[in-house]
Amino acid sequence: MVFLLSLTFTAFAQENSAELINIKINSVDNNVISKITDNNIYTYYNFENTDNLEINSDSNNIKYIYILWNKPPKTYTVEFNNQKIICGENGFLHELIKLDNTTDRINITQLKENSLADIFFYSDGKLPKDIQNWQKPYSRCDILAFPTHSDDDTLYMGALISEYAGRGKKIQIAYMTNHWNTVDRPHELLNGLWEMGVCAYPIIPDFPDLHTRSLEDAKILYNTQDLLNYQIETIRRTKPLIIIGHDENGEYGHGVHILNTLLLKDAIVMANDKTKYSESFNKYGNHLVLKTYFHLYPENQIILDVHKKYDFLNGLSPYEVAKNGFSKHLSQHHWDLAVLDYGTADCRLFGLYKSEIGYDFKTNDIFENLYLNISKKYKNFIVY
C-alpha cells in the first residue's frame, strides 16, 4: 500500500508542475519578438518606439510571467482580466510575476526606457527550480556577506553560504561593486546565488568594478569614505547577527578585496556609533554585529566540513553546491579560478575577527552558542 501511495503522490506532483506556455505577441514585429523569446541574454530590446506588449495564448492558463531584464527595470504595468498591477518597483533584474488568476490575454504597458532580454509564461503549478522568485533584501538577517564582485561569493564564501542557506538561515549578500557595464555578469550573479539557495535579492551599490593589484591603487580609484558609508548603511539596514568578509590579503592580492575588508573592520564598529554617519543612523538606527568572520583569518579559526552531504541540499555537500554556483559564472571560467578546499583559496577556512559574545569553538559552526551566549548587556538585541 505504501508503494501505491508513493506512485499516486508522484503522479500528482508531476500533474501539478507548471508548464511553459506558447504565446503570441501582437504589438511588435518579428525582429523584436525573436530578441525577447530566444532565451539568450545577449539579445535584448530597448523599448523606445513602442510602449507595450500585447500577449495572448490559445489556452486560458497563463499564471506566471518570468522576465529577464537587460538592466534593472523602471516601473511598468501588467493588465489582465480587467485587473492592473504595478511591477518593477523593486528593480529586480530577474522578476517573477504571479497573476491572481489564469488568463489567455495580457497587456504589459509603460515599458518605455526599459530593456528586455527574455520573457516566459507558465501555467499554474510548481515552477522549475531555476525560475527565481526573489524576496526584498532583509531588514534583519542571520548572515551578511560582503563579497567584492560577482563570483567572489561562490569562490570564497560559497560553501558557507550554501550550507547555512540550506539550514534555513537568512542570508543577505551585499557586493562592493557592480557589473552593469557588462551584459552577462549581473545575470550570472543572480543565477549563482539562486543555485546556492539565497533567496533575498542582493544589495548592489553604484561603485563600478575597477581592477587593481594594490591597496594603494584601490584607495586612489575609489572614494573610501563613500565605500565606508555604504558598508555602515548596509549593516544598519540589514541588522545581521554575523558578518562574513574577504581574506585580509585580498584572496589573490586584489586591491579592492583588501580595501573591502580593511574598511569593514571600521564599519562594524561605526555601525553601532550614533555619532557616525548620521544619515543612515537616522534612517535605520544603530546595530551591533555579534560576530565577524574573515576568510582565511588565522586567529580563532574554524574549518568547515564542506564535504558532508545533507538532505537539505538534495544530497549534495556545501562544496558541491558552491561549485554549482560558480558554474553559473560562465564569463569567468577562462580565468584560473575554482572553488577549492585547499591552499590560498580554501573555502573551508574562516577566522573569527571580532566577537561580542566570546570565542567558543567546540564545533565548526559559526552559530555555536550564539543564542545562548547573548548576555544581559545585549538583552535588547532582537533574536529570531
Side-chain angles (χ1 to χ4, degrees):
M1 181 176 289
V2 173
F3 178 68
L4 292 175
L5 286 173
S6 177
L7 285 178
T8 302
F9 177 79
T10 301
F12 180 82
Q14 290 174 344
E15 290 171 359
N16 284 272
S17 295
E19 295 182 354
L20 187 63
I21 297 174
N22 292 323
I23 52 90
K24 297 177 182 178
I25 301 177
N26 303 317
S27 53
V28 290
D29 60 38
N30 289 335
N31 181 49
V32 174
I33 293 172
S34 66
K35 289 181 178 180
I36 64 176
T37 60
D38 60 358
N39 195 19
N40 181 357
I41 60 169
Y42 295 98
T43 59
Y44 49 86
Y45 178 68
N46 298 319
F47 285 87
E48 297 173 352
N49 299 322
T50 184
D51 189 36
N52 72 308
L53 291 175
E54 296 176 5
I55 296 133
N56 63 69
S57 71
D58 293 334
S59 58
N60 186 38
N61 60 353
I62 299 175
K63 182 67 174 182
Y64 294 98
I65 309 170
Y66 186 52
I67 304 179
L68 306 185
W69 299 101
N70 177 51
K71 299 293 181 184
K74 296 184 178 180
T75 57
Y76 59 97
T77 301
V78 173
E79 300 175 3
F80 65 101
N81 297 348
N82 296 318
Q83 298 182 54
K84 182 184 295 187
I85 55 177
I86 305 300
C87 302
E89 294 175 302
N90 297 315
F92 292 171
L93 192 68
H94 297 177
E95 185 169 21
L96 180 67
I97 303 161
K98 183 179 181 180
L99 307 181
D100 290 338
N101 42 63
T102 58
T103 186
D104 62 349
R105 295 183 183 275
I106 295 172
N107 193 21
I108 305 178
T109 65
Q110 300 179 344
L111 285 170
K112 279 190 177 178
E113 299 184 43
N114 280 331
S115 183
L116 177 61
D118 282 298
I119 187 166
F120 308 89
F121 299 85
Y122 286 90
S123 65
D124 200 2
K126 184 178 180 180
L127 290 163
K129 68 176 184 178
D130 59 344
I131 300 299
Q132 300 163 17
N133 186 16
W134 293 100
Q135 303 176 25
K136 294 179 182 179
Y138 291 120
S139 58
R140 285 193 175 273
C141 64
D142 295 306
I143 298 173
L144 171 62
F146 271 108
T148 302
H149 311 98
S150 169
D151 81 349
D152 291 336
D153 45 358
T154 60
L155 290 168
Y156 311 112
M157 309 170 185
L160 184 152
I161 290 170
S162 298
E163 176 173 345
Y164 287 103
R167 291 185 180 279
K169 299 299 184 183
K170 296 180 178 179
I171 313 291
Q172 182 64 56
I173 310 296
Y175 294 92
M176 179 62 79
T177 63
N178 68 65
H179 304 283
W180 297 125
N181 63 328
T182 69
V183 171
D184 43 20
R185 295 197 71 182
H187 293 286
E188 293 171 351
L189 178 156
L190 294 177
N191 294 340
L193 289 182
W194 191 260
E195 185 70 23
M196 295 191 298
V198 176
C199 56
Y201 199 80
I203 297 171
I204 303 172
D206 294 331
F207 310 113
D209 174 18
L210 303 173
H211 182 73
T212 173
R213 283 287 183 177
S214 73
L215 174 62
E216 291 70 24
D217 286 346
K219 288 181 177 179
I220 295 171
L221 290 172
Y222 292 95
N223 184 314
T224 56
Q225 290 304 308
D226 288 346
L227 293 176
L228 183 60
N229 179 48
Y230 163 68
Q231 289 181 330
I232 292 169
E233 179 174 352
T234 301
I235 294 169
R236 287 170 168 170
R237 172 185 174 182
T238 63
K239 295 179 171 52
L241 297 176
I242 298 171
I243 281 180
I244 305 296
H246 273 296
D247 165 36
E248 292 178 300
N249 297 314
E251 311 298 357
Y252 50 90
H254 197 303
V256 188
H257 288 183
I258 299 172
L259 181 59
N260 187 345
T261 297
L262 181 67
L263 294 176
L264 193 53
K265 292 178 179 180
D266 292 330
I268 58 178
V269 176
M270 293 183 181
N272 197 42
D273 185 345
K274 65 181 181 181
T275 68
K276 305 295 184 182
Y277 294 87
S278 59
E279 184 175 349
S280 63
F281 168 73
N282 291 335
K283 190 172 182 179
Y284 300 110
N286 279 351
H287 180 69
L288 177 68
V289 180
L290 297 187
K291 283 183 172 183
T292 300
Y293 289 86
F294 294 142
H295 183 224
L296 303 180
Y297 188 69
E299 299 180 25
N300 312 302
Q301 200 169 78
I302 63 172
I303 304 176
L304 300 172
D305 185 0
V306 301
H307 294 294
K308 184 176 180 179
K309 297 182 184 293
Y310 295 101
D311 289 341
F312 56 74
L313 296 178
N314 296 317
L316 299 178
S317 68
Y319 180 73
E320 291 170 319
V321 176
K323 289 179 69 175
N324 290 343
F326 183 63
S327 74
K328 303 298 183 180
H329 294 266
L330 298 175
S331 68
Q332 303 305 294
H333 290 179
H334 67 285
W335 300 106
D336 186 23
L337 296 170
V339 179
L340 300 175
D341 57 356
Y342 62 88
T344 57
D346 194 335
C347 68
R348 302 173 303 159
L349 301 182
F350 287 85
L352 182 56
Y353 167 74
K354 192 175 190 305
S355 176
E356 301 293 336
I357 54 173
Y359 296 85
D360 49 346
F361 291 108
K362 295 178 182 178
T363 65
N364 289 314
D365 179 0
I366 62 174
F367 284 86
E368 179 187 335
N369 297 324
L370 182 68
Y371 302 113
L372 297 176
N373 288 347
I374 295 178
S375 67
K376 293 180 180 179
K377 180 179 178 181
Y378 309 119
K379 63 182 180 181
N380 293 325
F381 189 93
I382 299 176
V383 178
Y384 45 85

